[in-house]
Amino acid sequence: MADKDNIGTFDLSRRKLLAGLGAVGVASAGAGLGTTAYFNDTESFDGNTLTAGQLDLLVDWQQTYDFGEGDQFVSAHPDHDGDGEQSVEIDGEVFRYSDFPDEEDEDSNGANLPVLDCENIPPLEEADFGTDPVTGEEMGSLVQLTDVKPGDSGEITFSLHLCDNPGYIWMQAGNVSDDGGTFTEPESLLQDAGVGDLGDAIQAKLWYDEDCDNVYDPAEPVDIMLTLDFSGSMLYDQYGGVVSDDDIAVSGSTYAETTKIDLVELGTRQFVDYLQSQASDVQVGVTYFDGEGSDDTVPRTGVIQSLTSDLSLVDAALSGLRQKLADVVTGSQPSSPGDGDGDPNPFANASGIATGTYIGEGIDDAQADLDANGRPSAAKRNIVLSDGESFNGTGSTTFSSPTGAATDARAASPNPATDVYTINVDGSASTLQAMAGPAGGAGGDPTFFNDVDDPLNIPTVFGNLAAQTVQEKVIMDDSLGNILAALADGNGVPLDGNRATPYDELGDDPDHPTRDPFEGNGVMHCVALSWELPFDVGNEVQGDTLAFDLGFYTEQSRHNDGTGPDLPA
């Protein structure tokens, strides 16, 4: 691992908290170099500093238990009133898990609170592990159920937030002990004393709970419009379109610099490729929006590809976006971009192009296509990406308010009711967040909003949205004993920050190129573990005890390759 031997020189610490049986452990460390050197024309060099960056992993969760009376809240973090349901008080207002239901999932109570972030998640040492709903006994650790019967089941969804820097994350288990415990007379007729069978008897599932609702979600039919910003600031250096001077390969071409629209092309094509690889029941279409036309009265927006189940057509529509954007912003091909009339050189003189964006018109175009070509049985989704403000440019065009257009789309005005997801690429975050929300619901829902400070994270955002479209990815579906064994092996199970990549958590190496680190800045990712003791389990498990620790380990992605900490020889 690059620079691993030098990490200690920055006085970094690894913090791991394990509270015993079934405890949750969290590792965090600070690492990195940054400088704030102020150079001026007097040639003095004042105030130079080296500051270690931060990598802090915060974990919250909601745990449920069904002992024959339906799912009961067991414990949560945070839980401001100690009733077992995730809740937090922010500026005098109380937010609860059950206040955020998944209206399309009748089995869902809600979702781990989307309002939680690195500023308001309490430290793990403040966690309240709740009360066993069967025995009424206080639980001193995360999982401490003492009267489990055949037919009982439970589930925990962990919400992971990497604060500040991106990093790799592993899920771990330790101190696993499957003990025969109390040896009852019925059990003695089946086996010798001391044999633990509970771990093998409990069936369990470990998966990425993409919507953080404590429920495994299979695939459902969905119609999706990708509504993309084609304004000059997505391409031209003059308006901040160039992200870096690193080479990038897209659509068979290699460019000497990376622009925002290149990253959109990579992300959206990866999105489509993943849906195709999963044989998803989807239709996908593509719309775009820019500023005003040459006569200052017509917004330059349109549909590149109407909704279709032929994802190869969508992939073609998303190929060569540099040229298609250049055609749009020059006004030469507003209705069918891609014919090659515009100048795609990001360093070309872009002074004559429109810089305003008509986000609302783009949403209206997408909504019209969903209405005309969507399937009655499919959920509707619009994914809107923009890097700027929506305004009226310099002409007299009457334009649709982006928040108004999004409100109409969510409310089925016109039909159909549509989930609106938004991606802000260092633009108007307040507007795009106000637009985001579920079909039939209000805007401003942080679960549907993605704030991208670094455009290099655009492909990862599209990857995670693709993972929310298909059935949630199962890491392991086996006995609880075998899952714990995998989590306890080596460094644990390496988790993937982008589920749309074909990474195999159990079969691929941790540094495999398809494994991505998790985003920083507190972006929420959820991992879930469910378990059930089947009804047909016999007397052999009476009195058995399964003890284990659970934990997560993280390390910064910069200067590390994802192989994890060196294990002792």
Side-chain angles (χ1 to χ4, degrees):
M1 180 177 300
D3 288 353
K4 183 176 287 183
D5 294 337
N6 297 323
I7 288 180
T9 63
F10 295 101
D11 192 26
L12 309 182
S13 65
R14 178 176 179 227
R15 174 168 53 100
K16 191 159 189 176
L17 305 174
L18 292 173
L21 173 66
V24 176
V26 180
S28 70
L33 289 173
T35 180
T36 55
Y38 299 98
F39 296 162
N40 57 49
D41 59 6
T42 63
E43 297 184 354
S44 64
F45 304 94
D46 301 327
N48 300 287
T49 64
L50 291 174
T51 303
Q54 299 182 61
L55 183 67
D56 190 15
L57 176 62
L58 297 182
V59 179
D60 60 87
W61 70 82
Q62 176 67 67
Q63 180 181 184
T64 62
Y65 180 32
D66 183 355
F67 54 92
E69 299 183 7
D71 288 335
Q72 309 287 318
F73 292 126
V74 177
S75 74
H77 181 68
D79 181 6
H80 89 291
D81 55 5
D83 66 353
E85 178 183 3
Q86 191 180 67
S87 60
V88 63
E89 184 174 356
I90 302 174
D91 296 330
E93 183 177 1
V94 174
F95 298 86
R96 291 186 177 277
Y97 171 91
S98 57
D99 292 337
F100 295 88
D102 182 345
E103 296 177 1
E104 297 181 357
D105 184 352
E106 63 183 13
D107 297 321
S108 171
N109 297 105
N112 279 36
L113 292 179
V115 296
L116 295 176
D117 57 32
C118 293
E119 301 300 321
N120 55 40
I121 299 176
L124 192 63
E125 54 264 28
E126 296 182 12
D128 181 349
F129 293 114
T131 302
D132 185 327
V134 176
T135 65
E137 297 177 358
E138 183 176 351
M139 294 167 54
S141 55
L142 183 64
V143 182
Q144 194 172 338
L145 303 170
T146 58
D147 190 24
V148 177
K149 299 286 197 300
D152 287 5
S153 61
E155 194 274 348
I156 308 170
T157 286
F158 298 99
S159 175
L160 311 177
H161 307 252
L162 265 182
C163 303
D164 198 56
N165 282 307
Y168 296 102
I169 299 178
W170 286 256
M171 188 171 182
Q172 301 175 325
N175 299 320
V176 180
S177 173
D178 201 352
D179 187 1
T182 303
F183 194 52
T184 64
E185 185 271 334
E187 188 181 16
S188 69
L189 300 177
L190 300 175
Q191 62 183 25
D192 296 331
V195 178
D197 299 293
L198 194 56
D200 291 336
I202 293 176
Q203 295 302 301
K205 180 181 295 182
L206 179 66
W207 80 95
Y208 294 103
D209 190 4
E210 298 293 350
D211 55 0
C212 305
D213 67 350
N214 289 77
V215 176
Y216 173 72
D217 296 317
E220 64 173 352
V222 59
D223 293 335
I224 306 167
M225 293 300 294
L226 302 175
T227 302
L228 307 177
D229 190 333
F230 267 27
S231 62
S233 57
M234 295 293 293
L235 172 62
Y236 294 103
D237 183 60
Q238 185 173 342
Y239 297 113
V242 175
V243 174
S244 75
D245 57 5
D246 293 334
D247 292 353
I248 189 169
V250 289
S251 299
S253 299
T254 299
Y255 300 109
E257 66 289 315
T258 298
T259 70
K260 295 175 188 175
I261 199 64
D262 297 329
L263 295 164
V264 169
E265 180 169 340
L266 286 179
T268 54
R269 293 187 69 190
Q270 181 187 69
F271 177 93
V272 171
D273 181 65
Y274 182 68
L275 298 184
Q276 194 164 31
S277 70
Q278 299 299 305
S280 305
D281 185 4
V282 297
Q283 290 191 133
V284 181
V286 184
T287 61
Y288 67 90
F289 57 88
D290 178 36
E292 293 169 329
S294 58
D295 61 358
D296 286 343
T297 60
V298 180
R300 287 200 292 256
T301 68
V303 177
I304 298 179
Q305 175 61 58
S306 292
L307 280 171
T308 178
S309 59
D310 186 347
L311 298 188
S312 65
L313 295 178
V314 183
D315 184 70
L318 294 167
S319 300
L321 291 190
R322 274 198 186 196
Q323 184 63 63
K324 291 173 180 175
L325 185 152
D327 292 348
V328 167
V329 299
T330 60
S332 57
Q333 293 288 341
S335 60
S336 56
D339 292 343
D341 292 336
D343 188 349
N345 177 9
F347 298 101
N349 185 347
S351 297
I353 69 171
T355 56
T357 53
Y358 287 98
I359 302 175
E361 266 70 18
I363 293 174
D364 288 344
D365 287 349
Q367 194 68 10
D369 200 74
L370 286 166
D371 190 24
N373 300 308
R375 298 167 295 172
S377 61
K380 305 300 186 293
R381 186 171 301 174
N382 189 4
I383 300 174
V384 184
L385 178 143
S386 179
D387 76 334
E389 303 280 348
S390 178
F391 67 105
N392 196 20
T394 59
S396 57
T397 304
T398 300
F399 67 100
S400 175
S401 159
T403 52
T407 298
D408 289 345
R410 297 192 310 271
S413 176
N415 287 327
T418 303
D419 296 329
V420 178
Y421 290 80
T422 58
I423 305 171
N424 170 54
V425 186
D426 199 21
S428 181
S430 59
T431 297
L432 287 161
Q433 181 165 356
M435 294 161 54
D445 191 327
T447 306
F448 292 75
F449 173 64
N450 297 271
D451 196 9
V452 181
D453 291 331
D454 185 348
L456 293 174
N457 288 327
I458 291 174
T460 299
V461 171
F462 276 105
N464 292 336
L465 290 172
Q468 294 179 37
T469 303
V470 302
Q471 63 183 12
E472 292 176 332
K473 182 180 180 182
V474 175
I475 300 171
M476 197 170 180
D477 192 347
D478 207 322
S479 71
L480 181 56
N482 285 342
I483 289 179
L484 292 172
L487 293 172
D489 184 31
N491 292 318
V493 172
L495 303 179
D496 186 13
N498 180 1
R499 271 75 70 192
T501 55
Y503 181 68
D504 183 346
E505 287 79 0
L506 302 178
D508 291 336
D509 291 333
D511 59 349
H512 194 279
T514 59
R515 182 195 180 201
D516 290 340
F518 287 75
E519 293 178 69
N521 299 318
V523 175
M524 181 170 67
H525 296 263
C526 290
V527 180
L529 176 66
S530 65
W531 60 270
E532 180 179 9
L533 186 61
F535 277 108
D536 59 3
V537 170
N539 286 327
E540 67 271 12
V541 302
Q542 285 200 47
D544 290 3
T545 298
L546 178 65
F548 53 91
D549 296 332
L550 288 177
F552 295 92
Y553 168 75
T554 184
E555 64 185 22
Q556 66 168 22
S557 57
R558 184 153 60 94
H559 298 317
N560 289 311
D561 57 10
T563 54
D566 293 329
L567 296 172

